[in-house]
Amino acid sequence: MSNAQLIDRRKFIRSTALAAGGLIIAFNVPAGIRTRGVVKEPVLFAPNAFLRIGSDNSVKIILSHCEMGQGIWTSLSMLIAEELDADWKSLQVEHAPADIAYYHTVYATQRTGGSSSLNSEFDRYRKAGATARYLLVQAAANRWKVAPDDCQTANGYVVSGDKKISYGELVTDAMALPAPADIPLKDPKDWKIIGGKIKRLDTQEKIKGTAVFGMDIHFPDLLTVMVARVPVNGATVTGYDEAAALAVPGVRQVVKIPTGVAVLADDFWSAKKGRQALKVQWDLGAAANISSDSLFTEMKARADKGGIVATEEGNVAELFKQSVTKVEVEYFQPFLAQSPMEPLNCTVKLSADKCEIWTGTQTQTDDQHAASEITGLPISQVFIHTCFLGGSFGRRNITRSDFVREAVEVAKASGKLVKTVWTREDDIQGGRYRPAFLHRFKVGLDANGMPVSWDQISVGQSVMTGGPFEKIAVVNGVDTFSIEGMQAVPFIKALKNKKIAVNTPDWPIMIDNWRAVGMSHTIFAMESLIDEMAYAAKKDPVAYRRLLYKDDARLLKVLDLAAEKSSWGTPLPKDHGRGIAAFKACGSYVALVAEVSVPKNGMVKVHKVTCVVDCGTAIQPDGVVAQMEGSVGYGLSAALYSEITFKNGQVQQKNFYNYPILRMNEMPEVNTYIVPGNEPPGGIGEASVGQMMPALTNAMFAVTGKRIRNLPIYKMKMGNA
Amino acid sequence: MQLTVNGKSYDVNVPSDMPILWVIRDKLGLMGTKFGCGAAQCGACTVHLDGQGIRSCVAPVSRAEGKEIVTIEGLNDTLSKPLMAAWTEIDVPQCGYCQTGQIMAAAVLLRDNNNPTDQDIDNAMSGNICRCATYQRIRKAIHLAAELKKSSS
Ligand code: FES
Ligand code: FES
């Protein structure tokens, strides 16, 4: 969207919000939940789409991005509050409705993802605050007949000499003033909020249990829906018998929808029992032949065959032949489910002229379009109420809005006010998975152990094909996310003899975003391989990386600091070892050192993880630390246990008992160090997930001398499931 | 069926095999207790039944007859105050979805143990999954809550 359009749009928002309070009304939380966001009758000053200042001194921030745990509820609000000089304690925060005004500055739809929120909003949100402050100061100056330059602001007041007035008292005057064309921002050295010790704004409601997640939406006449979903991707319903389901007390209706058969009931339990009683016949379709073993074999065959070249330079074969030491390895990583803590759900209220949707989503515009397409209503009549997301990790950032689409289909087919609820089994089996990947390398090292030739083939499904970013992400048939981050590594860029290719199977397995996307698997391959190269070169893994990363000052810095903080190289007790991994991800540089012990015939224990991150400007430092800790846990879960497998097209895992998640007793001590920086903020929610996996296996190698090239480390026994 | 939840008595008309979780959420509208797995695997649904921490997603409501259910909304001040203060001080939650279950599990630990060790915390809390992996902060917050509780009593 051009700036001119943006400005027009803001004017529009301003006038409609003021005239009708229309945008505000859209925030009303349904009765029976609670009354967050219901504004009585203060005069509201809406200098832009992101901010409402009330004559009652309320300051409301309207977030174009969604809160799923990553902390933008707080950190984005800090950007506005900083420039506004707002009273931090008076802030209220809400999710924005679906509206073009809230489009992502880069993605051009309303979307939260790619760890991009802070980076993309860094200027826009600060400007939103600065513009409001400018107008309020101007209003006070006019009132007092002083120059704006003689006014100061702090904590929601304008002050000049002995005069002092609250922002609330100025809103009517400020509204009448023209917005400035452009506005200077504070010098970072004057920041009081950004970079400060600020606590999260959503903690209270989350610990008291009053935070509203999609799952908590309730209306008196709402029916809970459970869908008997296709057991195999691409299967179709050939028939069903609803009698037994309808006989379950509390079950109200059974309807067929494109993804299966939906049971509508008074409550969750009745819906679940109804679904159990329902008899559905399926045509399982072609995907019923899929099994993990044959997929794995096929991946190897594809790697043998070669693929589409992403980069090729020099004479790889010849240099490899001449090289002193040869490293030939491959790494396999399985399909993974995101399994956010809150299972998917979506509430839909559909009437003749509008469709209202309550859910936790990362993709409001896509959802709005999907609902419009299904209902035939104009997009302007589809209203999205974004609730808190009980985690997502990409599951709520899905091409074609699968779970929203399905709920709208149920509402349309049934004519009822419905909330679809997925069980944990539905979540794990009806997933949009991180694709399995095989990365195979042939690397030749010179007499000093440094790489002279690099031959790589990466085999796995394309996440971006068919999605909103296909045009940018898929270049000449190569999904750059299949090798995400690898080509950008400076020593690879500098290599004169290299070939990186991808082979992209088109399997009927639903895949999509999973925390860190491509880097959830490329970093494991890369940082395991570099460890192997270090050992092949008979060099210490940190010392070797220093040589490799010499042209990347920020990566070198986190590497060095991680080595220092973890006391790299100092003696450890028997059976203990350290492993390192360092990589640039989502605009941030992260080095992790894991300290583990591996007893003979026992399972690994991760004692400590040292994490060093350079994310440029750290807006809310404690939030950065929290994301590092969480990503360590998320990465460890995946490396240790996580694996989705298929048998006859069906996912074999069902619940946390065979798709285990890291628990309290397995969580290492994590010590995080933030490298101070003043570059624009990098992403933090995904920046350290990928490094955790090789840091762990590299540490295990240091103890056992056994290299782990296949994840997960521990496989669940699936029996005959 | 007669139920006592957070000191209030309710008359509910539900099948006796309906898990306590769904009576609390769908019939009484108390939304602080969460559904995570429905299989006693994650602890998001932790409530107290006569003072014992239970997985309400698998406990049929018939088990609660004549007993007292306490949910996050009704946790008594002696436990709630130090826990909330500690969770706030450490800024524990990320997505927040598991946190009420974590707090209800921690409350039982804290009631019975004034000085929980790391091992005690592992034992008491390993049934509660946090997919955001806020475990390190939960651990810190429990230690802090124990301090706060001691100093206030
Ligand atoms: S929802 Fe009850 S233990 Fe997970
Ligand atoms: S805070 Fe998200 S699951 Fe625990």
Side-chain angles (χ1 to χ4, degrees), chain A residues 14-15 17-19 42-48 51-55 131-132 135-136 138-140 142 167-179:
Chain A
R14 177 173 172 174
S15 52
L18 293 173
V43 178
L44 288 173
F45 169 41
N48 50 60
L51 186 55
R52 306 275 180 277
I53 303 172
S55 52
T131 306
L135 293 170
L136 291 161
Q138 191 69 49
N142 291 353
Y167 286 176
E169 292 169 80
L170 291 166
V171 297
T172 314
D173 293 7
M175 272 155 55
L177 299 172

Side-chain angles (χ1 to χ4, degrees), chain A residues 32-33 67-70 198-200 202-204 206-211 213 215-218 224 266-270 272-273 337-343 388-391 393 419 421-425 514-515 620 622 625-627 629-631 633-634 637 642 655-657 659 661-665 667-671, chain B residues 13-19 21-23 25-27 29-44 55 57 72-73 80 83-100 102-103 118-119 121-140 142:
Chain A
I33 303 297
E67 176 59 54
M68 47 191 160
Q70 84 281 40
I198 297 285
K199 290 213 183 300
R200 290 180 69 116
D202 52 356
T203 293
Q204 289 314 307
K206 286 180 173 176
I207 62 181
K208 290 181 181 134
T210 53
F213 297 91
M215 194 66 94
D216 304 327
I217 297 297
H218 194 67
T224 299
D266 292 341
D267 49 69
F268 176 97
W269 191 242
S270 314
K272 189 166 182 225
K273 279 172 50 180
Q338 301 84 353
S339 54
M341 206 66 220
E342 176 197 16
F388 277 125
L389 284 67
F393 315 111
K419 171 163 79 173
V421 176
W422 295 47
T423 61
R424 179 57 56 191
E425 289 79 4
W514 191 96
R515 195 176 193 176
Q620 190 211 2
D622 191 50
V625 173
Q627 284 309 302
E629 294 164 356
S631 298
Y634 204 83
S637 258
S642 301
N655 204 316
F656 295 135
Y657 49 77
Y659 193 78
I661 304 299
L662 194 87
R663 291 174 184 272
M664 173 67 89
N665 59 326
M667 182 73 189
E669 175 192 331
V670 185
N671 296 305
Chain B
N13 181 17
V14 295
S16 62
D17 67 343
M18 185 184 278
L21 173 65
W22 299 112
V23 180
R25 287 183 56 86
D26 287 350
K27 304 298 170 188
L30 295 169
M31 295 299 190
T33 308
K34 303 300 183 193
F35 165 60
C37 70
Q41 294 286 307
C42 76
R55 303 283 179 257
C57 67
I72 187 76
E73 289 89 351
S80 168
L83 284 166
M84 296 293 162
W87 248 251
T88 304
E89 176 57 31
I90 310 286
D91 236 356
V92 176
Q94 288 186 26
C95 84
Y97 194 75
C98 74
Q99 294 296 338
T100 53
Q102 304 280 2
I103 290 170
D118 279 342
Q119 186 60 51
I121 293 173
D122 279 353
N123 295 345
M125 302 300 294
S126 291
N128 285 67
I129 290 176
C130 174
R131 186 55 164 147
C132 302
T134 62
Y135 300 119
Q136 172 155 316
R137 289 178 188 234
I138 294 173
R139 185 185 299 284
K140 277 191 196 152
I142 293 175

Side-chain angles (χ1 to χ4, degrees), chain A residues 455-476:
Chain A
D455 188 354
Q456 172 185 348
I457 174 121
S458 297
V459 182
Q461 283 171 270
S462 162
V463 169
M464 294 296 155
T465 301
F469 302 116
E470 178 172 349
K471 280 209 180 76
I472 315 161
V474 183
V475 183
N476 300 327

Side-chain angles (χ1 to χ4, degrees), chain A residues 509-557:
Chain A
I509 294 174
M510 297 296 252
I511 50 148
D512 221 307
N513 294 307
W514 191 96
R515 195 176 193 176
V517 195
M519 284 187 278
S520 70
H521 56 86
T522 57
I523 299 179
F524 173 69
M526 197 73 176
E527 280 294 291
S528 298
L529 170 61
I530 287 169
D531 224 60
E532 301 212 42
M533 287 157 56
Y535 280 95
K538 303 197 168 44
K539 290 200 164 70
D540 169 78
V542 169
Y544 186 73
R545 281 177 176 81
R546 274 192 194 119
L547 298 173
L548 271 189
Y549 299 156
K550 64 180 182 356
D551 295 328
D552 196 343
R554 291 176 73 184
L555 193 60
L556 211 50
K557 174 103 203 217

Side-chain angles (χ1 to χ4, degrees), chain A residues 699-713:
Chain A
M700 291 174 75
F701 179 82
V703 182
T704 64
K706 271 194 219 107
R707 183 60 66 179
I708 292 167
R709 300 195 183 96
N710 292 1
L711 294 182
I713 298 167

